[in-house]
Amino acid sequence: MSVNSRLPGFRDESPSARRALLAERSGRTLDEFRALDPFEGLTAEQADHMIENVVGVLGVPLGVATNFTVNGDDVLVPMATEEPSVVAAASNAARIARVRGGFRTSSSRPVIQAQVQILDVADPEGARLRLLDARDELMRTADEQDPQLVELGGGVRDLSVRVVESRAGRYVVLHLLVDVRDAMGANAVNSMAEAVAVRVGEIARGRVLLRILTNKADTRLARASAVFDAETLGGADVVRDIVHAGALAEADPYRAATHNKGIMNGITAVVLATGNDTRAVEAGAHSHAVGADGRYTSLSRFETDTDGNLVGTLELPMPVGLVGGATKVHPAARSAVSLLGAGTAQQLAEVITAVGLAQNLAALRALATEGIQRGHMALHARNVAVAAGATTDELPHVVSRLVADRAVRADHADQVLAELRSGQ
Ligand code: MEV
């Protein structure tokens, strides 16, 4: 069943009514989303099997971004984040992208790399060629570690060898390039790197040290682009200023770090919701933000098309999987994956990248127009009011007062609540 991601009025419903709506819209049973109810989600017993010394579980709000169209299909996107306005901003940007067809995405094959570091090699260049000469043997040994992956069409695709100069010496570094299919793949490639290590040391005539994947996953890239309609964005001046905002991030690392943080607001939220490794994706993103010239820059680009509309593009490593790890064992992550409906890790990676671009556009549009604080403060005011003890009935009054008084602060929330309760 195809999904319609337009859900007007969704935000006015209660969390349980929203889950019922999701079930209806996505053609899934309500049971599939039961684990999103905090009382039905991850138990301490389940958590105890996931990590060590478990004493409990930490709840993080899980919202659903609406309005997304990716490659012509609507998707409802689960996002786990503690930051107010992230889900609303992504949904809003997706609504703007929708006017001109939504997001287009693509990705490379799900190939990640493992490194084997070799020390004390007398002839590094000679060792490099000996290792390349042993390519077939080493690839066979690595593939033998994971016959199931090979059966699924994955496995080692190639190897490469680099000579790396460091302050402590010169290293020969062998890379295994592995198609990990629908896995994130860290376990698969780490096992392969360990399996070939002894033979690699023999061939290179050196001592093997590190055997581990690289999180600079530049052979596993996902890309998203969208045309944002100039009129819907607010006119030609807004388009012009978003291009200027993007250009500053390209040129200035101080701005690039914040710009990229905005992209990661969206990306990390979906990665976390689907039980994937947020740190692996973040490490990949930040390493990718350093260009060939060694300068840290923005991950996205903004330009105008011939009709004056804004064209946004984003490309970055996206090492996420659908099998294994928390994606399979965390009940809420399973619900989130089911909602997204991604059939392959590549599809998941592409949707996540589209969300990153949407999040980026939303931030730049706010910054280039009214500034970020207005929208942010309304949502922040809710947190402040709740922290001050406002009940569900009191919340709307306290929030609107905090915003109207331009004083979104705990002391003011206390005062407004006291006034409300004393009938003033
Ligand atoms: C805040 O979490 C993210 C932003 O700072 C991103 C940006 O400045 O582009 C608003």
Side-chain angles (χ1 to χ4, degrees):
M1 169 176 168
S2 67
V3 174
N4 177 353
S5 67
R6 294 282 295 143
L7 288 171
F10 190 60
R11 66 176 179 188
D12 303 322
E13 302 291 346
S14 67
S16 64
R18 290 191 195 119
R19 286 197 294 276
L21 250 165
L22 286 186
E24 187 193 307
R25 276 303 174 89
S26 61
R28 311 275 196 288
T29 63
L30 193 51
D31 217 41
E32 283 194 61
F33 301 125
R34 196 175 299 285
L36 299 179
D37 179 339
F39 295 104
E40 307 269 353
L42 187 71
T43 63
E45 286 73 31
Q46 286 167 322
D48 201 26
H49 297 304
M50 291 174 72
I51 65 163
E52 311 74 41
N53 299 352
V54 165
V55 292
V57 295
L58 171 76
V60 175
L62 188 133
V64 172
T66 57
N67 304 329
F68 271 86
T69 300
V70 179
N71 298 331
D73 290 324
D74 275 16
V75 273
L76 288 163
V77 185
M79 300 179 78
T81 179
E82 87 302 338
E83 183 166 329
S85 81
V86 163
V87 177
S91 306
N92 195 25
R95 190 181 48 75
I96 299 172
R98 219 180 155 82
V99 173
R100 296 207 168 251
F103 296 86
R104 300 297 311 173
T105 62
S106 65
S107 52
S108 61
R109 290 162 69 101
V111 171
I112 63 169
Q113 303 187 53
Q115 295 187 291
V116 181
Q117 178 193 17
I118 314 139
L119 287 65
D120 305 333
V121 178
D123 58 339
E125 293 301 336
R128 191 171 80 84
L129 293 205
R130 288 196 295 281
L131 287 166
L132 288 174
D133 204 34
R135 179 179 180 272
D136 291 350
E137 177 200 341
L138 294 172
M139 284 175 56
R140 207 170 334 110
T141 307
D143 269 342
E144 278 164 13
Q145 303 312 303
D146 204 331
Q148 202 191 349
L149 180 63
V150 174
E151 209 167 289
L152 290 168
V156 188
R157 290 289 170 266
D158 206 351
L159 61 80
S160 65
V161 186
R162 300 159 57 233
V163 177
V164 176
E165 303 287 348
S166 84
R167 100 186 137 68
R170 186 187 282 172
Y171 308 121
V172 177
V173 182
L174 175 117
H175 286 220
L176 287 174
L177 284 82
V178 186
D179 183 331
V180 294
R181 301 280 84 205
D182 288 325
M184 185 275 184
N187 281 330
V189 300
N190 290 342
S191 303
M192 289 177 176
E194 290 191 1
V196 298
V198 171
R199 188 70 187 117
V200 164
E202 281 168 11
I203 296 168
R205 296 177 206 136
R207 181 167 71 86
V208 167
L209 191 59
L210 305 186
R211 294 140 293 155
I212 187 76
L213 94 164
T214 166
N215 285 118
K216 184 172 168 54
D218 55 4
T219 51
R220 196 178 192 179
L221 298 176
R223 309 169 199 99
S225 67
V227 176
F228 299 97
D229 183 68
E231 203 185 313
T232 317
L233 276 172
D237 290 356
V238 177
V239 171
R240 179 201 60 207
D241 288 347
I242 293 175
V243 171
H244 280 305
L248 179 61
E250 267 180 63
D252 173 19
Y254 283 92
R255 175 57 206 154
T258 321
H259 178 102
N260 291 341
K261 191 273 184 182
I263 294 172
M264 300 314 287
N265 275 346
I267 288 179
T268 303
V270 191
V271 173
L272 183 61
T274 56
N276 274 288
D277 184 339
T278 53
R279 288 83 55 216
V281 173
E282 281 161 9
H286 291 301
S287 64
H288 202 67
V290 177
D293 60 1
R295 221 167 35 87
Y296 181 84
T297 183
S298 55
L299 288 162
S300 62
R301 294 289 180 269
F302 288 93
E303 334 167 285
T304 46
D305 68 9
T306 46
D307 299 325
N309 299 305
L310 183 72
V311 180
T313 53
L314 173 64
E315 179 181 61
L316 78 169
M318 195 50 68
V320 290
L322 285 173
V323 295
T327 301
K328 271 282 176 267
V329 300
H330 193 302
R334 279 209 304 267
S335 293
V337 167
S338 158
L339 174 66
L340 243 171
T344 65
Q346 271 180 267
Q347 283 170 4
L348 174 63
E350 292 180 22
V351 171
I352 293 173
T353 308
V355 176
L357 180 59
Q359 205 72 54
N360 190 204
L361 180 276
L364 296 193
R365 182 175 181 238
L367 288 166
T369 55
E370 64 182 16
I372 209 76
Q373 284 308 79
R374 194 158 157 244
H376 214 75
M377 273 304 156
L379 288 153
H380 180 52
R382 284 175 67 91
N383 284 345
V384 173
V386 169
T391 63
T392 309
D393 287 344
E394 292 166 335
L395 208 53
H397 175 84
V398 180
V399 169
S400 55
R401 271 289 304 279
L402 296 185
V403 173
D405 297 350
R406 294 177 177 271
V408 185
R409 295 191 317 263
D411 62 323
H412 194 49
D414 289 341
Q415 189 191 327
V416 171
L417 258 181
E419 283 170 19
L420 183 67
R421 288 175 184 167
S422 69
Q424 280 176 27

